[in-house]
Protein backbone atom coordinates (compact mmCIF):
# COMPACT_ATOMS: atom_id res chain seq x y z
CA UNK A 1 0.00 0.00 0.00
CA UNK A 2 1.47 3.34 -1.03
CA UNK A 3 1.89 5.87 1.76
CA UNK A 4 1.12 9.56 1.90
CA UNK A 5 3.09 11.39 -0.78
CA UNK A 6 4.27 14.96 -0.39
CA UNK A 7 6.26 17.32 -2.56
CA UNK A 8 8.53 19.13 -2.61
CA UNK A 9 10.59 17.76 0.27
CA UNK A 10 12.51 20.99 0.68
CA UNK A 11 11.86 24.57 -0.36
CA UNK A 12 13.81 27.76 0.30
CA UNK A 13 12.19 31.07 -0.53
CA UNK A 14 12.55 34.69 0.43
CA UNK A 15 9.96 36.44 2.55
CA UNK A 16 6.98 37.79 0.62
CA UNK A 17 7.36 35.10 -2.01
CA UNK A 18 4.78 32.38 -2.48
CA UNK A 19 5.04 28.61 -2.18
CA UNK A 20 2.77 25.64 -2.74
CA UNK A 21 2.90 22.15 -1.28
CA UNK A 22 1.18 19.09 -2.68
CA UNK A 23 -0.12 16.00 -0.93
CA UNK A 24 -1.57 12.75 -2.17
CA UNK A 25 -3.13 10.71 0.66
CA UNK A 26 -3.46 6.98 0.99
CA UNK A 27 -6.01 5.69 -1.48
CA UNK A 28 -9.50 5.58 -0.02
CA UNK A 29 -8.72 7.79 2.97
CA UNK A 30 -11.52 10.29 3.37
CA UNK A 31 -9.86 12.60 5.88
CA UNK A 32 -6.81 14.70 5.03
CA UNK A 33 -4.90 16.98 7.37
CA UNK A 34 -2.24 19.63 7.00
CA UNK A 35 -0.07 20.22 10.05
CA UNK A 36 2.63 22.78 10.66
CA UNK A 37 5.55 21.68 12.79
CA UNK A 38 7.93 24.37 13.94
CA UNK A 39 11.29 23.17 15.25
CA UNK A 40 10.98 22.03 18.86
CA UNK A 41 7.19 22.01 18.82
CA UNK A 42 4.50 19.45 18.17
CA UNK A 43 2.44 19.29 14.98
CA UNK A 44 -0.18 22.02 14.89
CA UNK A 45 -3.30 21.45 12.80
CA UNK A 46 -3.79 23.97 10.02
CA UNK A 47 -6.72 22.44 8.20
CA UNK A 48 -8.71 19.21 8.15
CA UNK A 49 -10.72 17.98 5.14
CA UNK A 50 -13.39 15.32 5.08
CA UNK A 51 -13.54 14.30 1.41
CA UNK A 52 -13.45 17.72 -0.29
CA UNK A 53 -15.16 19.65 2.52
CA UNK A 54 -13.39 21.59 5.25
CA UNK A 55 -13.99 20.23 8.76
CA UNK A 56 -11.69 22.53 10.71
CA UNK A 57 -9.58 25.46 9.56
CA UNK A 58 -9.75 27.48 12.75
CA UNK A 59 -5.96 27.72 13.06
CA UNK A 60 -5.23 28.46 9.42
CA UNK A 61 -3.91 32.03 8.95
CA UNK A 62 -6.35 32.77 6.19
CA UNK A 63 -4.80 36.07 5.23
CA UNK A 64 -1.81 34.20 3.80
CA UNK A 65 -2.54 30.48 3.82
CA UNK A 66 -5.01 28.65 1.61
CA UNK A 67 -5.70 25.00 0.98
CA UNK A 68 -7.91 23.00 -1.28
CA UNK A 69 -8.76 19.40 -1.86
CA UNK A 70 -10.37 19.10 -5.23
CA UNK A 71 -12.28 15.90 -5.98
CA UNK A 72 -11.65 14.72 -2.45
CA UNK A 73 -8.28 13.18 -3.24
CA UNK A 74 -5.04 15.16 -3.36
CA UNK A 75 -4.57 18.55 -1.79
CA UNK A 76 -2.46 21.68 -2.10
CA UNK A 77 -1.44 24.11 0.62
CA UNK A 78 -0.35 27.57 -0.48
CA UNK A 79 1.37 30.37 1.40
CA UNK A 80 1.34 33.84 -0.09
CA UNK A 81 3.12 35.98 0.94
CA UNK A 82 5.47 33.99 3.16
CA UNK A 83 6.85 35.35 6.41
CA UNK A 84 9.97 34.36 8.31
CA UNK A 85 7.86 32.66 10.97
CA UNK A 86 6.40 30.30 8.37
CA UNK A 87 9.68 28.38 8.36
CA UNK A 88 8.57 24.93 9.43
CA UNK A 89 7.89 21.41 8.25
CA UNK A 90 4.47 21.05 6.66
CA UNK A 91 3.11 17.59 7.29
CA UNK A 92 0.25 16.05 5.39
CA UNK A 93 -1.60 13.16 6.98
CA UNK A 94 -4.61 11.05 6.13
CA UNK A 95 -6.96 8.68 7.90
CA UNK A 96 -9.85 6.49 6.79
CA UNK A 97 -12.46 8.95 8.02
CA UNK A 98 -14.63 10.20 10.84
CA UNK A 99 -15.44 7.67 13.49
CA UNK A 100 -13.15 5.15 11.89
CA UNK A 101 -10.68 5.24 14.75
CA UNK A 102 -7.12 4.21 14.15
CA UNK A 103 -4.17 6.40 13.53
CA UNK A 104 -3.04 9.14 11.22
CA UNK A 105 -0.67 8.24 8.45
CA UNK A 106 1.87 10.94 7.81
CA UNK A 107 3.89 11.85 4.79
CA UNK A 108 7.57 12.69 5.06
CA UNK A 109 6.85 16.40 5.22
CA UNK A 110 7.85 19.46 3.24
CA UNK A 111 10.49 21.57 4.92
CA UNK A 112 10.12 25.28 4.22
CA UNK A 113 12.83 27.81 4.93
CA UNK A 114 11.91 31.47 4.55
CA UNK A 115 14.88 33.85 4.33
CA UNK B 1 -4.85 26.11 24.13
CA UNK B 2 -2.48 23.19 24.55
CA UNK B 3 -4.71 20.20 25.23
CA UNK B 4 -1.85 17.73 25.32
CA UNK B 5 1.42 18.49 27.06
CA UNK B 6 4.78 16.80 27.23
CA UNK B 7 6.76 18.62 29.87
CA UNK B 8 10.09 16.92 29.29
CA UNK B 9 11.71 18.12 26.06
CA UNK B 10 14.45 15.53 26.26
CA UNK B 11 15.45 12.30 27.96
CA UNK B 12 18.67 10.26 27.94
CA UNK B 13 18.75 6.62 28.92
CA UNK B 14 21.38 3.91 28.86
CA UNK B 15 20.87 1.04 26.46
CA UNK B 16 19.03 -1.84 28.11
CA UNK B 17 17.37 0.33 30.73
CA UNK B 18 13.79 1.52 30.85
CA UNK B 19 12.68 4.72 29.11
CA UNK B 20 9.60 6.44 30.51
CA UNK B 21 8.02 9.23 28.50
CA UNK B 22 5.19 11.21 30.05
CA UNK B 23 2.19 13.06 28.71
CA UNK B 24 -0.56 15.08 30.37
CA UNK B 25 -3.85 16.18 28.87
CA UNK B 26 -6.68 18.51 29.76
CA UNK B 27 -9.50 17.37 27.46
CA UNK B 28 -11.62 14.71 29.16
CA UNK B 29 -13.40 14.04 25.86
CA UNK B 30 -10.50 12.20 24.27
CA UNK B 31 -11.59 8.75 23.16
CA UNK B 32 -8.14 7.31 22.73
CA UNK B 33 -4.49 8.23 22.75
CA UNK B 34 -1.62 7.53 20.41
CA UNK B 35 2.13 7.62 20.57
CA UNK B 36 4.13 8.52 17.49
CA UNK B 37 7.83 8.25 16.86
CA UNK B 38 9.69 10.62 14.57
CA UNK B 39 13.15 10.33 13.12
CA UNK B 40 14.86 13.39 11.59
CA UNK B 41 13.73 14.21 8.05
CA UNK B 42 10.90 11.69 8.26
CA UNK B 43 7.21 11.96 9.04
CA UNK B 44 5.90 10.68 12.38
CA UNK B 45 5.03 6.99 12.46
CA UNK B 46 2.47 5.35 14.67
CA UNK B 47 3.81 3.39 17.61
CA UNK B 48 1.06 2.34 20.00
CA UNK B 49 -2.41 3.41 21.09
CA UNK B 50 -4.68 3.07 24.09
CA UNK B 51 -8.42 3.46 24.42
CA UNK B 52 -9.71 5.80 27.10
CA UNK B 53 -11.51 2.84 28.68
CA UNK B 54 -8.28 0.92 29.18
CA UNK B 55 -5.47 1.55 31.61
CA UNK B 56 -2.73 -0.41 29.87
CA UNK B 57 -1.77 -1.58 26.42
CA UNK B 58 1.33 -3.54 25.59
CA UNK B 59 3.08 -4.27 22.31
CA UNK B 60 6.44 -5.95 22.55
CA UNK B 61 8.90 -3.64 24.25
CA UNK B 62 6.38 -0.80 24.35
CA UNK B 63 3.70 -0.34 27.03
CA UNK B 64 1.40 2.61 27.43
CA UNK B 65 -0.30 3.34 30.75
CA UNK B 66 -3.31 5.60 31.17
CA UNK B 67 -4.38 7.23 34.43
CA UNK B 68 -7.66 8.93 33.65
CA UNK B 69 -8.15 10.44 37.08
CA UNK B 70 -4.80 12.19 36.77
CA UNK B 71 -5.23 12.86 33.03
CA UNK B 72 -1.82 11.35 32.51
CA UNK B 73 -0.34 8.74 30.24
CA UNK B 74 3.11 7.31 29.93
CA UNK B 75 5.05 5.25 27.43
CA UNK B 76 7.49 2.66 28.76
CA UNK B 77 10.17 1.19 26.53
CA UNK B 78 11.92 -1.86 27.95
CA UNK B 79 14.68 -2.56 27.17
CA UNK B 80 15.70 0.64 25.43
CA UNK B 81 17.77 0.29 22.28
CA UNK B 82 19.86 2.87 20.37
CA UNK B 83 17.41 2.62 17.47
CA UNK B 84 14.73 3.99 19.78
CA UNK B 85 16.48 7.37 19.74
CA UNK B 86 13.88 9.68 18.20
CA UNK B 87 11.31 12.30 19.10
CA UNK B 88 8.15 10.86 20.63
CA UNK B 89 4.80 12.61 20.40
CA UNK B 90 1.67 11.73 22.28
CA UNK B 91 -1.71 12.63 20.82
CA UNK B 92 -5.26 12.65 22.09
CA UNK B 93 -8.08 11.83 19.69
CA UNK B 94 -11.71 12.88 19.63
CA UNK B 95 -13.32 10.06 17.69
CA UNK B 96 -16.42 11.72 16.28
CA UNK B 97 -14.57 14.55 14.61
CA UNK B 98 -11.47 12.51 13.90
CA UNK B 99 -9.52 15.28 15.60
CA UNK B 100 -5.96 14.66 16.71
CA UNK B 101 -4.19 16.89 19.23
CA UNK B 102 -0.44 16.52 19.59
CA UNK B 103 1.94 17.25 22.41
CA UNK B 104 5.22 19.10 21.91
CA UNK B 105 7.35 15.96 21.85
CA UNK B 106 10.13 14.41 23.91
CA UNK B 107 13.49 13.72 22.32
CA UNK B 108 14.79 10.37 23.53
CA UNK B 109 18.46 9.50 23.30
CA UNK B 110 19.47 5.94 24.08
CA UNK B 111 23.16 5.79 24.86
CA UNK B 112 24.96 2.60 23.77
Amino acid sequence: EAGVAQSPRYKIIEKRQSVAFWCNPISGHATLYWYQQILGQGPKLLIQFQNNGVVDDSQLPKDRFSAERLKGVDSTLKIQPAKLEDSAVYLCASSPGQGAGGELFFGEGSRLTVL
Amino acid sequence: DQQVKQNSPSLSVQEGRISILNCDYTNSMFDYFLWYKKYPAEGPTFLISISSIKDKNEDGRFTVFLNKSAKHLSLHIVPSQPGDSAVYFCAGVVWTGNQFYFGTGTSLTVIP
Side-chain angles (χ1 to χ4, degrees):
Chain A
E1 178 183 77
V4 176
Q6 290 189 246
S7 67
R9 288 294 310 277
Y10 303 94
K11 189 74 175 179
I12 301 174
I13 61 173
E14 299 202 343
K15 58 183 179 183
R16 292 186 290 272
Q17 288 187 321
S18 63
V19 63
F21 301 113
W22 173 84
C23 172
N24 186 251
I26 292 173
S27 178
H29 279 194
T31 311
L32 184 149
Y33 308 76
W34 283 102
Y35 283 89
Q36 180 193 57
Q37 187 181 10
I38 293 172
L39 188 63
Q41 299 182 19
K44 170 190 159 187
L45 179 68
L46 291 175
I47 189 166
Q48 176 183 346
F49 292 95
Q50 177 74 13
N51 296 310
N52 60 350
V54 175
V55 174
D56 183 356
D57 64 356
S58 57
Q59 297 193 82
L60 186 74
K62 297 180 185 66
D63 57 335
R64 298 183 301 106
F65 286 65
S66 64
E68 60 182 9
R69 189 184 185 197
L70 298 176
K71 302 179 182 178
V73 182
D74 56 354
S75 175
T76 55
L77 175 71
K78 296 179 182 177
I79 308 174
Q80 181 179 18
K83 292 185 174 181
L84 297 177
E85 60 260 36
D86 298 332
S87 295
V89 176
Y90 291 86
L91 294 164
C92 179
S94 69
S95 73
Q98 280 187 305
E103 74 267 26
L104 287 183
F105 296 82
F106 283 91
E108 293 183 308
S110 295
R111 179 176 294 276
L112 173 65
T113 301
V114 182
L115 303 176
Chain B
D1 178 28
Q2 192 71 30
Q3 299 191 33
V4 179
K5 298 180 183 179
Q6 294 175 257
N7 293 318
S8 298
S10 62
L11 175 68
S12 290
V13 171
Q14 289 285 342
E15 181 179 4
R17 306 293 290 269
I18 184 171
S19 295
I20 300 177
L21 295 93
N22 294 303
C23 182
D24 296 295
Y25 62 95
T26 57
N27 188 347
S28 58
M29 300 301 290
F30 286 138
D31 296 294
Y32 62 101
F33 302 88
L34 307 169
W35 283 94
Y36 278 83
K37 176 178 179 179
K38 185 182 183 304
Y39 293 118
E42 295 184 12
T45 55
F46 169 71
L47 190 58
I48 191 170
S49 65
I50 186 167
S51 165
S52 62
I53 62 173
K54 304 280 189 183
D55 55 19
K56 178 182 175 181
N57 187 29
E58 191 172 355
D59 183 3
R61 296 186 297 112
F62 303 90
T63 303
V64 57
F65 296 92
L66 176 62
N67 182 334
K68 285 191 73 174
S69 60
K71 291 192 172 68
H72 176 84
L73 63 158
S74 60
L75 174 68
H76 293 210
I77 307 173
V78 183
S80 301
Q81 298 174 354
D84 296 329
S85 297
V87 178
Y88 290 78
F89 294 98
C90 66
V93 188
V94 177
W95 192 311
T96 52
N98 227 28
Q99 296 170 315
F100 293 72
Y101 296 87
F102 286 86
T104 51
T106 296
S107 177
L108 173 66
T109 301
V110 180
I111 304 164

